[in-house]
């Protein structure tokens, strides 16, 4: 899978521009705030359906404009395809596949597959459980429509259940009889999510172990385990046992929205005890593994988007990434942003694109 052409209009700091990409390695090179990150963000949007940088989609529209637009032309194993996203100033958005509007986001997400890695993804290792759940949810949803739909339904039920618990905490018990019905739905969707997360983590750990071994010379052994994994019956039992406490607090205290991933090296928590180098290596290994799992499911590599990470890595980790991508340049497309293209050395053949004030020029 590879991107042929990306077009932008009123998107972030890009007024109107387009970029032609080639197979293999592509480098977007330019100064800060010139439009490199905006370019890869637009590409990733067409994969995940949402930004990796913000939850406020109005920020995607260029200041002073009424709408923003990203259009992606790409080739998968079968044919050339086209995706398009519009963001309107009133907060609405629309998605087109081959020029036809789709009604549900699940009909859009996953058609084009991309894995993005930027310095902020160290949060997977360093931050709290929500960062790791977000990594799981985005990674699995791209290749599993059932998971994405279960996640959306679970979130909707959770909002309604929390509203009911909040009302009950304030003394309004008129709808208390409906709590059992919400519990059944929450447990049903939760079982699907939990089961698929467990399966994904097992595959992820295998890939991360091998990548980390290659990257570090086999001196350290990482472990990744999912702190969750419940059947619907187990979830219902937990919810029943927690009910009085949840009513007192006015919120759902147990469920897959509270689960976490334990990431360790040599039995020690990487978040607490891992060095900066170990944390970076783990984050890289997890994002590369995300791509391998996607290929395992779809039969082709996703597009790798590396946003401003080369300067963040030491020579060993940078060389590991570059050598890995360059040896498979006919199988994978990589789009890298950087301020200094010399960081890639002279061994990589690349399509170099100069970025200046939201415009893109072949260099």
């Amino acid at each position: 899978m590879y991107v042929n052409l990306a077009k932008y209009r009123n998107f972030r700091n890009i007024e109107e521009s387009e970029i032609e990409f080639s197979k293999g390695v592509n480098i977007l090179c330019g100064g800060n705030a010139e439009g490199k990150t905006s370019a890869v963000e637009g590409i990733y949007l067409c994969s995940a359906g949402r930004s990796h940088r913000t939850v406020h989609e109005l920020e995607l529209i260029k200041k002073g404009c009424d709408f923003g637009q990203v259009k992606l032309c790409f080739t998968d194993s079968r044919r050339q395809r086209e995706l398009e996203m519009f963001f309107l100033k009133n907060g609405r958005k629309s998605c087109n596949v081959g020029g036809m509007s789709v009604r549900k986001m699940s009909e859009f997400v996953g058609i084009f597959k991309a894995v993005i890695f930027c310095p902020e993804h160290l949060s997977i290792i360093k931050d709290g459980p929500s960062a790791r759940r977000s990594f799981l949810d985005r990674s699995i949803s791209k290749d599993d429509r059932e998971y994405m739909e279960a996640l959306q339904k679970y979130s909707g039920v959770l909002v309604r259940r929390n509203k009911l618990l909040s009302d009950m905490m304030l003394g309004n018990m008129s709808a208390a009889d409906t709590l059992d019905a919400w519990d059944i739905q929450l447990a049903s969707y939760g079982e699907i999510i939990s089961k698929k997360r467990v399966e994904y983590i097992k595959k992820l750990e295998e890939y991360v172990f091998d990548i980390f071994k290659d990257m570090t010379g086999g001196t350290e052994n990482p472990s990744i385990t999912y702190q969750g994994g419940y059947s619907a019956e187990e979830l219902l039992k937990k919810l029943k046992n927690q009910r009085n406490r949840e009513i007192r607090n006015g919120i759902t205290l147990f469920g897959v929205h509270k689960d976490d991933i334990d990431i360790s090296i040599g039995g020690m928590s990487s978040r607490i005890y891992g060095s900066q180098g170990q944390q970076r290596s783990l984050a890289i290994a997890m994002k590369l593994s995300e791509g391998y799992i996607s290929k395992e499911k779809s039969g082709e590599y996703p597009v790798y988007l590396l946003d401003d990470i080369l300067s963040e890595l030491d020579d060993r980790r940078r060389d590991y990434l570059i050598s890995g991508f360059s040896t498979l340049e006919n199988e994978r497309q990589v789009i890298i942003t950087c301020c200094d293209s010399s960081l890639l050395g002279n061994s990589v053949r690349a399509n170099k694109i100069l970025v200046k004030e939201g415009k893109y020029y072949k260099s």
Side-chain angles (χ1 to χ4, degrees), residues 45 49-51 54-61 87 91 93:
L45 273 167
R50 55 180 177 173
S51 171
T54 181
V55 296
H56 305 293
E57 292 182 339
L58 288 179
E59 295 176 9
L60 302 176
I61 303 173
F87 300 90
K93 70 179 177 184

Side-chain angles (χ1 to χ4, degrees), residues 52-284:
H52 66 290
R53 299 171 64 196
T54 181
V55 296
H56 305 293
E57 292 182 339
L58 288 179
E59 295 176 9
L60 302 176
I61 303 173
K62 185 176 173 63
K63 190 174 181 180
C65 298
D66 294 327
F67 71 94
Q69 178 187 4
V70 178
K71 185 175 183 179
L72 197 70
C73 303
F74 69 99
T75 301
D76 60 21
S77 59
R78 294 177 294 173
R79 63 188 188 276
Q80 274 198 343
R81 307 189 72 176
E82 195 173 277
L83 299 175
E84 201 167 13
M85 293 190 77
F86 290 91
F87 300 90
L88 303 178
K89 202 171 183 179
N90 62 10
R92 300 182 65 184
K93 70 179 177 184
S94 63
C95 302
N96 295 337
V97 177
M100 302 292 290
S101 179
V102 296
R103 292 184 300 169
K104 298 190 296 183
M105 189 57 69
S106 59
E107 297 172 356
F108 183 87
V109 172
I111 293 175
F112 168 71
K113 301 183 189 304
V115 172
I116 192 164
F117 184 47
C118 59
E120 289 81 2
H121 282 132
L122 279 171
S123 64
I124 299 170
I125 310 299
K126 298 172 70 172
D127 288 1
S130 63
R132 289 178 285 281
R133 285 195 301 270
S134 179
F135 164 75
L136 270 185
D137 292 341
R138 289 173 185 249
S139 301
I140 302 173
S141 291
K142 292 200 304 292
D143 297 299
D144 193 324
R145 184 169 293 181
E146 183 186 17
Y147 181 88
M148 183 168 66
E149 290 179 347
L151 194 65
Q152 291 171 338
K153 291 174 180 176
Y154 182 95
S155 298
V157 171
L158 185 64
V159 169
R160 293 175 178 86
R161 189 176 188 275
N162 282 341
K163 176 63 169 63
L164 177 57
L165 289 170
S166 178
D167 290 344
M168 294 171 70
M169 179 185 68
L170 297 174
N172 181 4
M173 305 296 288
S174 59
D177 291 343
T178 65
L179 195 56
D180 285 338
W182 291 123
D183 285 0
I184 292 170
Q185 291 188 57
L186 202 71
S188 176
Y189 298 132
E191 180 181 53
I192 296 170
I193 295 165
S194 186
K195 180 181 178 182
K196 290 180 179 292
R197 283 179 178 176
V198 170
E199 293 171 352
Y200 190 87
I201 287 295
K202 287 180 180 177
K203 291 182 180 179
L204 185 75
E205 185 182 38
E206 292 174 5
Y207 280 116
V208 167
F209 187 91
D210 290 340
I211 292 169
F212 203 82
K213 182 180 178 180
D214 289 344
M215 193 184 300
T216 63
T219 57
E220 299 164 330
N221 296 325
S223 173
I224 303 175
T225 55
Y226 180 52
Q227 296 178 330
Y230 301 97
S231 67
E233 291 76 17
E234 289 171 321
L235 286 166
L236 273 173
K237 185 177 179 180
K238 290 276 188 181
L239 289 170
K240 186 175 181 179
N241 291 339
Q242 293 277 350
R243 178 167 293 188
N244 290 335
R245 185 168 163 239
E246 288 184 332
I247 292 172
R248 289 196 302 270
N249 286 272
I251 196 167
T252 303
L253 299 172
F254 179 83
V256 296
H257 62 290
K258 294 288 187 179
D259 290 348
D260 195 6
I261 311 170
D262 179 70
I263 306 170
S264 62
I265 300 175
M268 305 289 284
S269 169
S270 58
R271 182 177 68 86
I272 299 172
Y273 300 105
S275 68
Q276 190 173 62
Q278 288 174 324
Q279 291 175 342
R280 289 186 191 283
S281 295
L282 279 168
I284 292 169

